[in-house]
Each structure stands twice: as C-alpha cells, then as structure tokens.
Amino acid sequence: MIFYSGTKNASSWSFRAWLALKEAGLVFDEVDIELRLPARQEALARIARFSPAASVPALVDGETVVFDSLAIMEYANELCGGRLLPGDAKGRAVARSLLAWQHSEVGRICPALSFESVFYDDKRVPTATEQAGAERLLAAWGDCLERSGGPYLMGSLSLADLGFVPTVMRVFSHVDVPARWGHVKAWMDALLQRPAVLEWMAQATPLPPVRLPEYFGGGRG
Ligand SMILES: N[C@@H](CCC(=O)N[C@@H](CS)C(=O)NCC(=O)O)C(=O)O
C-alpha cells in the first residue's frame, strides 16, 4: 500500500488517516506531498491523476484508490479485523457519530486555531469565543468518557479517538484544561503519548512552521 500524505505540520487530515493505519498495525509506503507554496499545485496535480478528490490523504492498495481520510480510517479498521470500532452496533453508531461530527463540523470550532498553529513558538492568547468552543469540546468528550468509563472515548481505543488527535492538539495547545475536566485531560494525555502520535510529531516538529495570517488576525502572519 502507498499512503500519500500532506506536509506533516500542515495536514491534519493526513495525520488522522495515518494514525488509523499505524494503530491497525498495517505496513505501507509513504509519499510526502508538499502542500506549501509554490510546490502545492503541482504536487496535488500528481494526486489528481489517480484520485478524483485531488487531495491528501490518499491510499493506493493495488488497483484500489481510497481517498478521503474517513474512508481510509474505515478501511484501516476493516483490515485489522474491526478492532478500531466498538463490537456492538450501538457503540459503532456512537463512534461513527463522533467521527462524522469531527469530519464535518468540528473544524468550525476555533477555526483560527488551525493544526499549523500547534507548531508556533509564539502562540497567542485564545479569545473568549475560542475558550467557549474549547468548553464545548470538553463537555462532549467528558460525556463520552463518563458513559464508557474510559480510558478512551468508547472504552478502548477507537477511530473516534484518533479523529480527534489534531483537534486536541490545536485547541488545547492554546487553552488550559480546567481542573473539573481531569478525566478528559487524562484521556488527552494518554492519546498524545501513543507511539504513533509521537512518531508523526517527531517528523512534523522540525519542519519550518506554516504561518497562517488568519491566526494572528492579519498583520503578523
Ligand atoms: N475531506 C478530505 C479533506 C482533505 C483535505 O482537505 N486535504 C488538504 C490537505 S490537508 C488538501 O489536499 N487540499 C487540496 C486542495 O486544497 O486543493 C479528507 O478528509 O481527506
């Protein structure tokens, strides 16, 4: 299998899919697609030759092209015998609800705290709206952990946890977790210490930061 990944300090979608492949114990080759300008357009044109989405991540397994991070995560789960989703239908439905929410809506919570900002040395103070967005996430994760008993959202590690790794990083490298959310903080710590997460971050951290003007509200980008 060949996994086409975006620049590691900029592509949270690639990160999620890559984590699922790694946590599924799969072996794959990796091709890095340069998302930074000026190489971006030409690099993505390479993906367009085999993927209608013309985006990363993309996974090529023989004749089969799996595009979109969510499909790659589900494929990883199937290839490892389903152990990255709960064993019961209701549990899978909840995990998939979390994944779908992450995929379609969660980016709108604290949108300026992008994945790229995780790697900034000069982080800014979060706004009141961002603090409120962070509380919303803490409440959602706290509810899952209380229902499942932890240590992961669905009890054992699942795609739902992996989908939120970049979200945890981008929001909570800016916002402190209040003491009342201690169980959520324990979940975050366990997730961020997983060997696959550390492996990606070891490759991402030395890269030149991708500075997005919208993070600083204009001028300093
Ligand atoms: N829904 C897609 C989103 C993928 C995506 O937006 N990837 C970005 C890099 S992180 C990309 O390749 N964008 C191509 C473009 O903007 O033309 C997924 O989950 O895979």
Side-chain angles (χ1 to χ4, degrees), residues 6 10-14 35 40 44 53-57 67-70 103:
S11 184
S12 57
W13 298 113
S14 300
L35 290 177
R40 183 182 175 102
L44 287 170
S55 64
V56 282
F67 56 90
D68 198 288
S69 58
L70 200 46
H103 205 65

Side-chain angles (χ1 to χ4, degrees), residues 8 15-28 30 76 83-84 157 162 194-197 199-200 203:
K8 280 199 165 57
F15 191 10
R16 296 181 176 95
W18 185 93
L19 281 176
L21 293 169
K22 286 278 175 178
E23 292 284 2
L26 300 169
V27 176
F28 54 93
E30 205 172 323
R83 67 176 161 76
L84 289 175
L157 183 80
L162 302 179
R194 294 198 66 90
V197 173
E199 189 184 333
W200 177 281
Q203 293 177 49

